[in-house]
Amino acid sequence: MTSPAPSPPAERAILTSLAGLIAQALDRARLYDTKHTLAHTLQTGLLPHTLPRIQGLDVTARYLPAGRGMDIGGDFYDLIRRDATTATAAIGDVQGHDPTAAALMGQVRTAVHANATAGISPGNVLARTNRLLTDLDPGLFTSCLITHLDAAHHRARLANAGHPPPLLAHPDGHAEVLRLPPGLLLGIDPDANYTTTEIPLPPGTVLALYTDGLVETPGIDIDDTTHDLAQDLAQARAQDLDHLADTLIHHATRGAPRHDDIALLLIRPKPNGG
């Protein structure tokens, strides 16, 4: 039996170096996977596992993490029950895509929840949450949209802190982008004020709250993609909310790859307060 010929020293050196590089790459990959899993678990663990039942309202939500990389961000949504027929809906996005953003998201959501249960207006919910964030001084800013829903009287009151505008699909079939009075992002100016706007919300209306991952597409103006999303909402509004949410997510993700999280909250008043 012939023994294998020994490798030349130069070849052995190359193979040894290559083995070392492969080992380092595997270590980095394992570390990356660990960090990604930690960040994703942190973020999803801070989102609501279920939404409360509110008499007279159908509500559904979706959350999709970013399509690649460590793009675990601070997108969040919430529905806070106030009494049998009223609730506060919140949606927001903390600046950044890392575990720090996800952790701050949990603090913001907790602050919004606490202020919303105090029975104050959406504008005051934002103002109080903003003062807390500026005191914490996390170095990150947050967009947020607060909506007080009154199913018994078919009204909604909204206030916006630098967040993408909500969409409203009317029972007659047309949809619009609600251009609310603008407000500063949370965490910039402790004395910022936020205007509350009231709108009718009759049965058959669909109110869509979302984060910018649903409408941001590289190379396309965000106003155009927001208008397109409103048209998709108008055309599919008759679907049940779960199918409608899936339709909007599919329409928004069918083109260019996503590099941001997506949160979506759909609200539809029921006929006769059912």
Side-chain angles (χ1 to χ4, degrees):
M1 181 174 179
T2 304
S3 299
S7 301
E11 185 176 329
R12 289 199 302 270
I14 292 174
L15 292 175
T16 301
S17 297
L18 182 59
L21 291 173
I22 292 173
Q24 291 176 20
L26 289 173
D27 285 342
R28 285 195 294 270
R30 283 193 291 266
L31 179 60
Y32 169 84
D33 287 342
T34 299
K35 288 182 176 179
H36 188 276
T37 300
L38 172 63
H40 190 199
T41 301
L42 174 63
Q43 183 176 35
T44 55
L46 291 170
L47 293 172
H49 297 290
T50 59
L51 297 176
R53 294 182 179 274
I54 308 298
Q55 182 179 337
L57 293 177
D58 277 332
V59 184
T60 195
R62 294 290 185 274
Y63 166 73
L64 273 72
R68 70 175 189 179
M70 272 292 290
D71 286 346
I72 300 299
D75 289 24
F76 68 93
Y77 63 86
D78 207 352
L79 184 68
I80 303 142
R81 187 180 189 275
R82 296 178 59 174
D83 59 35
T85 59
T86 63
T88 296
I91 196 160
D93 186 359
V94 177
Q95 176 189 27
H97 296 89
D98 55 28
T100 301
L104 181 60
M105 176 269 285
Q107 292 178 301
V108 174
R109 182 176 166 239
T110 299
V112 167
H113 199 288
N115 288 318
T117 56
I120 58 179
S121 70
N124 282 331
V125 171
L126 289 176
R128 290 188 181 185
T129 304
N130 174 62
R131 285 194 291 272
L132 172 64
L133 283 188
T134 53
D135 287 344
L136 292 174
D137 191 22
L140 299 174
F141 304 132
T142 302
S143 71
C144 189
L145 178 69
I146 302 293
T147 305
H148 177 213
L149 306 159
D150 185 341
H153 299 92
H154 306 304
R155 310 292 295 179
R157 304 171 71 206
L158 307 94
N160 193 357
H163 199 75
L167 307 178
L168 191 66
H170 296 271
D172 65 5
H174 83 281
E176 63 176 313
V177 180
L178 293 178
R179 301 295 181 182
L180 303 174
L184 281 177
L185 293 167
L186 304 178
I188 296 177
D189 178 3
D191 298 320
N193 292 315
Y194 300 91
T195 301
T196 298
T197 301
E198 184 169 324
I199 62 169
L201 201 67
T205 301
V206 179
L207 179 65
L209 314 179
Y210 56 94
T211 55
D212 56 9
L214 193 62
V215 291
E216 282 189 339
T217 301
I220 302 178
D221 188 274
I222 196 169
D223 287 338
D224 293 336
T225 56
T226 302
H227 175 77
D228 291 343
L229 183 65
Q231 297 311 304
D232 290 340
L233 177 63
Q235 293 170 14
R237 75 191 188 286
Q239 299 178 358
D240 70 76
L241 281 196
D242 282 322
H243 283 99
L244 178 54
D246 293 338
T247 295
L248 295 181
I249 294 290
H250 172 72
H251 286 188
T253 59
R254 65 187 184 272
R258 293 180 299 105
H259 304 308
D260 201 357
D261 296 11
I262 292 176
L264 173 66
L265 190 61
L266 297 180
I267 300 155
R268 176 190 280 149
K270 298 178 183 178
N272 302 319

